[in-house]
Amino acid sequence: MARLGTALRRWNHRRIARKRDAWGRNEIATRTVTSTPHDWDTPLVVSLTSYPPRFPTLALTLRCLLQQTVTPDRVVLWIAHDDLEALPPDVLTLQARGLEISGCEGTRSYKKIIPALAAF
């Protein structure tokens, strides 16, 4: 009987998570944010990386970053050269909104910091 209770709790948790995910996606898709430029003396660069297991939710993350209240000068996505072809179309379309996609060596957790430090 304990197994049934555990299975039921897991099922319910997944059901709630799916509802929350759907609500979050809708909220981001319909969000209207008035962005303002920053007033810093140096450029504001948002640098991030991803890899194929996270590609299904990558566009949502990037849309959030591109819709912040303070407008960054650049949003750069670093992707390992081998993974560039696997990027979903919804990520590629965000280039029209200012996203820069750069290929880099697949150096694990250093994939974004090393090329970002060299570039900026």
Side-chain angles (χ1 to χ4, degrees):
M1 194 61 149
R3 288 174 129 178
L4 179 61
T6 301
L8 186 59
R9 279 192 299 278
R10 285 184 184 153
W11 174 82
N12 195 39
H13 176 71
R14 285 191 303 269
R15 182 182 64 82
I16 291 170
R18 281 191 302 268
K19 277 186 168 181
R20 194 176 311 129
D21 184 50
W23 176 85
R25 286 177 186 270
N26 185 50
E27 195 274 331
I28 290 167
T30 59
R31 179 184 296 171
T32 55
V33 175
T34 304
S35 295
T36 58
H38 64 85
D39 57 357
W40 298 353
D41 295 334
T42 58
L44 173 59
V45 178
V46 176
S47 174
L48 68 151
T49 189
S50 191
Y51 67 112
R54 296 213 175 134
F55 284 179
T57 58
L58 181 58
L60 185 63
T61 301
L62 293 168
R63 270 191 246 117
C64 287
L65 290 172
L66 293 166
Q67 291 180 345
Q68 297 296 307
T69 55
V70 175
T71 308
D73 295 304
R74 299 173 78 176
V75 177
V76 183
L77 173 65
W78 300 96
I79 299 292
H81 293 293
D82 297 339
D83 298 335
L84 282 170
E85 290 183 11
L87 280 172
D90 56 347
V91 171
L92 298 174
T93 59
L94 292 174
Q95 290 177 299
R97 295 178 55 191
L99 174 67
E100 297 175 34
I101 300 174
S102 296
C104 64
E105 297 300 317
T107 52
R108 301 222 181 250
S109 59
Y110 300 103
K111 186 174 15 177
K112 79 172 177 195
I113 192 68
I114 292 173
L117 288 173
F120 310 114

